[in-house]
């Protein structure tokens, strides 16, 4: 699986996505945008995202899951990061980080 780290943004769950078993789930706009941007129209992907994989309304479960998130991310094939839409010249910072990685 690939683990998704994304900007939380507004906590309101205003978007609905359809799951593979024909059920649906409400998610935040920021998670929706991240999933939309990462979606491959031709190939399926197995993603872990806390906003879907952790029952956010169950405080006890959420605390348990948050305590093992380091393990979840470390066991992932890859960790994807979505920082949200560009603002305050954030593209400049991303470009700079990319240049540092290339050196």
């Amino acid at each position: 699986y690939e683990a998704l780290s994304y900007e939380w943004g507004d906590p309101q769950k205003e978007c609905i996505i359809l799951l593979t078993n024909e059920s649906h789930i409400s998610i935040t706009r920021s998670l929706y945008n991240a999933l939309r941007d990462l979606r491959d129209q031709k190939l399926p992907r197995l993603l872990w995202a806390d906003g879907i994989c952790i029952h956010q309304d169950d405080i006890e479960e959420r605390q348990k899951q948050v305590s093992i998130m380091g393990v979840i991310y470390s066991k992932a094939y890859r960790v994807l990061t979505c920082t949200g839409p560009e603002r305050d010249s954030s593209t400049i910072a991303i470009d700079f980080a990319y240049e540092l990685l290339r050196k």
Side-chain angles (χ1 to χ4, degrees):
Y1 66 95
E2 296 171 284
L4 175 59
S5 175
Y6 62 97
E7 174 196 36
W8 274 46
D10 186 341
Q12 294 298 316
K13 294 180 180 177
E14 59 185 46
C15 299
I16 297 172
I17 59 170
L18 182 64
L19 302 175
T20 56
N21 63 359
E22 305 273 335
S23 63
H24 64 278
I25 186 172
S26 297
I27 60 173
T28 63
R29 169 71 55 192
S30 60
L31 177 53
Y32 176 85
N33 289 340
L35 293 173
R36 182 201 60 219
D37 292 348
L38 293 169
R39 183 174 183 200
D40 187 322
Q41 295 287 338
K42 296 177 183 159
L43 298 172
R45 251 181 141 147
L46 183 59
L47 291 172
W48 182 93
D50 63 349
I52 296 173
C53 298
I54 298 174
H55 188 272
Q56 298 295 319
D57 297 329
D58 183 333
I59 303 300
E60 187 176 335
E61 177 187 341
R62 192 171 66 196
Q63 289 173 337
K64 287 178 186 175
Q65 294 292 319
V66 167
S67 71
I68 62 167
M69 282 178 70
V71 174
I72 292 168
Y73 283 109
S74 70
K75 291 192 180 284
Y77 161 72
R78 173 170 50 187
V79 176
L80 307 166
T81 303
C82 291
T83 58
E86 198 273 335
R87 63 177 166 259
D88 300 327
S89 301
S90 61
T91 301
I92 294 169
I94 297 297
D95 290 343
F96 178 69
Y98 180 72
E99 287 302 316
L100 289 174
L101 288 173
R102 290 182 54 192
K103 293 182 179 187

